[in-house]
Amino acid sequence: MRRYIVAGNWKMHKTAEEAVNLALALIPLVSDVRSVEVVLCPPFTALPSVGEVLNGSGLFLGAQNMHHEPQGAYTGEISASMLLPLGVSHVILGHSERRHYFIESDPQIREKVGAALQAGLTPILCVGETLAEREAGETESVVSGQLEGCLEGIELAQAEDLVVAYEPVWAIGTGKTATLEQAQEVHALIRAKLTQFFGVDLAGKIRIQYGGSVKPENAAELMAQPDIDGALVGGASLDADSFAAIVRSV
Ligand code: PGA
């Protein structure tokens, strides 16, 4: 049985103080839900304070990005070794906004995945096609290519160490969700690809999240699909009630 995992990607929203208030509002609404791993991913500046608030709550703390080197002359960057002492356990890598606005490539993301695993952080590796790619019938080749570029040669000690998030770029922040069939189809493809890299046993246990306009109204039916094991939530994670409703509906 794969344990569901729901992560809130707060993106570039919330000051440290606002983030603490959101976490404080959220904890009582979800901390009794044991069947779901809940991860909050505030901006870097809020990680220390949100980490303190989450201590002992059963919720997990995630970062939204990291550099692959442990330290060095990389102005503006943050390494795994800086995240770990804050209580960070997960890190979103290769989000489509990083790929699009910051021109992150598969080889760079692959280095980050390797560095995160080495440091003991769980990468939430994001993949997904753009609208133009879907309309051109390239969804399968794009997603397969991203998985190959980001995971090939990566070694995994146990399935819990890696989470993959399928986020169709056209569904992010647009209010458009993939249909259940579209989402399940790509999730099954991702699991087949993971089987190539890691074997049937591990691949059967790796969690694959869906992301892209997940809301309380559509979360349950998405999560009921055989290969959907959780959600990566953007907009709806900024409101305690709607994020808690998603966690509870899962
Ligand atoms: P959204 O964002 O839920 O606002 O569509 C999802 C994401 O970017 O992870």
Side-chain angles (χ1 to χ4, degrees):
M1 247 320 249
R2 299 184 291 265
R3 187 176 180 218
Y4 282 104
I5 175 166
V6 176
N9 174 10
W10 296 0
K11 308 193 179 182
M12 198 174 75
H13 294 285
K14 308 281 177 195
T15 63
E17 191 184 344
E18 289 164 349
V20 164
N21 289 337
L22 177 54
L24 284 173
L26 200 56
I27 291 168
L29 302 179
V30 298
S31 54
D32 62 318
V33 184
R34 292 284 161 220
S35 53
V36 182
E37 195 170 311
V38 178
V39 188
L40 304 186
C41 307
F44 287 131
T45 46
L47 285 171
S49 50
V50 172
E52 273 180 37
V53 165
L54 293 189
N55 203 353
S57 68
L59 276 65
F60 293 85
L61 185 65
Q64 300 173 15
N65 180 33
M66 57 170 249
H67 195 273
H68 67 273
E69 289 288 349
Q71 60 190 43
Y74 300 102
T75 302
E77 292 292 312
I78 301 276
S79 73
S81 57
M82 297 168 181
L83 297 173
L84 283 164
L86 305 177
V88 172
S89 52
H90 296 67
V91 57
I92 299 171
L93 294 176
H95 189 278
S96 64
E97 286 151 16
R98 301 286 326 164
R99 293 175 186 263
H100 180 71
Y101 296 118
F102 304 99
I103 325 296
E104 277 189 22
S105 64
D106 288 331
Q108 282 173 323
I109 297 162
R110 188 185 173 288
E111 289 201 278
K112 294 181 186 213
V113 169
L117 287 169
Q118 185 115 40
L121 291 171
T122 302
I124 298 178
L125 169 65
C126 302
V127 296
E129 81 288 0
T130 63
L131 185 58
E133 289 163 344
R134 175 162 283 271
E135 285 175 345
E138 292 167 356
T139 300
E140 185 172 336
S141 60
V142 167
V143 171
S144 295
Q146 289 172 336
L147 289 169
E148 281 160 19
C150 298
L151 287 179
E152 216 153 44
I154 293 280
E155 298 210 8
L156 212 54
Q158 47 175 10
E160 291 71 25
D161 292 349
L162 174 70
V163 176
V164 176
Y166 169 55
E167 298 205 303
V169 178
W170 48 273
I172 295 178
T174 57
K176 284 187 207 146
T177 323
T179 65
L180 302 179
E181 294 73 25
Q182 285 172 329
Q184 167 56 27
E185 191 183 12
V186 181
H187 278 242
L189 163 85
I190 293 172
R191 197 167 311 280
K193 212 67 201 165
L194 294 174
T195 306
Q196 276 179 28
F197 301 144
F198 304 118
V200 177
D201 250 28
L202 278 185
K205 293 185 191 142
I206 293 174
R207 277 90 52 88
I208 308 173
Q209 295 176 315
Y210 171 79
S213 298
V214 176
K215 302 181 271 279
E217 300 78 45
N218 60 22
E221 53 182 16
L222 282 162
M223 298 309 122
Q225 301 305 304
D227 287 294
I228 302 186
D229 311 309
L232 182 54
V233 187
S237 72
L238 295 171
D239 177 80
D241 289 325
S242 63
F243 188 66
I246 291 170
V247 171
R248 304 197 77 88
S249 74
V250 169

